């Protein structure tokens, strides 16, 4: 595809259930980011993947959150035992190379609602 | 860690000029980026400053002072379509991840 693709676009889940969010980056992009954005708030950094290097997981808010990426392809963000405070838009972005200032291209996000 | 401060809201009229400031504290610093986000939309890249000074791209300019840990985004000839949230983001040392500020909501009125 031409851009970053995220699925599903919307997800409603019951408290305590696990959810898996998917991100397909732009082909050839080595860097991939996950962010969380609560309504009317800023982008909260979650995790950063760069090529085959160890990911930077410093933003993951708890051990209920995890993310995987296979090589330079698709990434999945998993939230276990969801809580109501997990309700937010989860944004994925990719960029073509590891260089400061390289433009990050964002997907449209997955809107997660925990009821 | 990193922290960024920017005003929460700015209001301006069409045709005017507005400046959105951003101050940051970070352990290690490569540069400052700016992103625009319309309601319900994805953030889109506007500019990046890796060196001190002014970068101009059409109606938008961005400035950085490393010694003051300060930057700003300048929007000229404001249009209604510029109503959006604007985020500054730092690239800290080490990994080239992006850390965003809380965003400034710009409302442009006729």
């Amino acid at each position: 595809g031409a851009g970053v693709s995220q699925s599903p676009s919307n997800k409603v889940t019951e408290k305590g259930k696990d959810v898996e969010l998917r991100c397909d980056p732009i082909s050839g992009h080595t860097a991939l980011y996950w962010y969380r954005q609560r309504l009317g708030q800023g982008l909260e950094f979650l995790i950063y993947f760069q090529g085959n290097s160890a990911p930077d997981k410093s933003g993951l808010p708890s051990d209920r959150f995890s993310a995987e990426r296979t090589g330079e392809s698709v990434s999945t963000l998993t939230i276990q035992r969801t809580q109501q405070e997990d309700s937010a838009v989860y944004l994925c972005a990719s960029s073509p190379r590891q260089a400061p200032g390289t433009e990050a291209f964002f997907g449209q996000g997955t809107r997660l609602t925990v009821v | 860690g990193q922290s960024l401060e920017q005003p929460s809201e700015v209001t301006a009229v069409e045709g005017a000029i507005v400046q959105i400031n951003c101050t940051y504290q970070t352990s290690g610093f490569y540069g400052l980026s700016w992103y625009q986000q319309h309601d319900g939309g994805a953030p889109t890249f506007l500019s990046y400053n890796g060196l001190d000074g002014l970068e101009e791209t059409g109606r938008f300019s961005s400035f950085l002072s490393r010694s003051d840990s300060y930057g700003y985004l300048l929007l000229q000839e404001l249009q209604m379509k510029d109503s959006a949230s604007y985020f500054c983001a730092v690239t800290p040392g080490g990994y080239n991840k992006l850390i965003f500020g809380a965003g400034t909501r710009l409302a442009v009125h006729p």
Side-chain angles (χ1 to χ4, degrees):
Chain A
V4 177
S5 177
Q6 292 188 244
S7 60
S9 55
N10 281 282
K11 175 73 175 179
V12 180
T13 189
E14 293 181 350
K15 178 181 173 180
K17 299 285 189 183
D18 297 352
V19 295
E20 188 173 277
L21 312 181
R22 177 185 171 104
C23 174
D24 284 275
I26 295 171
S27 178
H29 281 197
T30 60
L32 187 144
Y33 314 76
W34 282 99
Y35 291 89
R36 177 169 70 180
Q37 187 173 34
R38 293 194 169 102
L39 187 63
Q41 303 297 310
L43 281 72
E44 178 187 359
F45 169 76
L46 296 178
I47 189 168
Y48 168 68
F49 295 91
Q50 174 56 57
N52 294 318
S53 302
D56 181 340
K57 304 180 179 182
S58 61
L60 294 178
S62 77
D63 59 7
R64 296 187 296 105
F65 289 72
S66 62
E68 300 292 332
R69 187 184 188 195
T70 304
E72 297 180 357
S73 62
V74 65
S75 175
T76 56
L77 176 69
T78 301
I79 308 173
Q80 295 179 310
R81 305 181 301 282
T82 52
Q83 304 295 313
Q84 288 186 330
E85 62 262 29
D86 299 334
S87 295
V89 175
Y90 289 82
L91 290 162
C92 174
S94 69
S95 62
R97 58 193 176 98
Q98 182 182 5
T102 304
E103 177 180 353
F105 295 81
F106 282 82
Q108 291 297 314
T110 293
R111 182 176 299 277
L112 176 66
T113 304
V114 181
V115 297
Chain B
Q2 300 87 28
S3 69
L4 298 93
E5 289 192 16
Q6 48 182 132
S8 57
E9 292 183 7
V10 174
T11 303
V13 296
E14 267 188 305
I17 299 172
V18 71
Q19 178 173 314
I20 299 173
N21 298 321
C22 175
T23 58
Y24 58 87
Q25 289 185 318
T26 180
S27 52
F29 176 81
Y30 281 127
L32 188 72
S33 301
W34 289 91
Y35 283 76
Q36 178 192 60
Q37 185 181 33
H38 288 96
D39 285 347
T44 56
F45 175 81
L46 291 177
S47 68
Y48 172 75
N49 293 74
L51 301 174
D52 284 1
L54 191 68
E55 295 281 343
E56 298 182 69
T57 307
R59 295 188 296 115
F60 294 1
S61 304
S62 57
F63 172 83
L64 176 66
S65 169
R66 286 172 166 265
S67 60
D68 296 321
S69 298
Y70 163 77
Y72 66 72
L73 179 69
L74 189 74
L75 299 84
Q76 303 182 71
E77 302 173 17
L78 282 172
Q79 303 176 9
M80 297 295 289
K81 68 179 182 180
D82 297 329
S83 294
S85 292
Y86 293 84
F87 297 90
C88 58
V90 294
T91 301
Y95 289 102
N96 295 322
K97 63 188 179 186
L98 281 170
I99 303 298
F100 284 80
T104 298
R105 190 171 185 87
L106 171 64
V108 180
H109 297 288

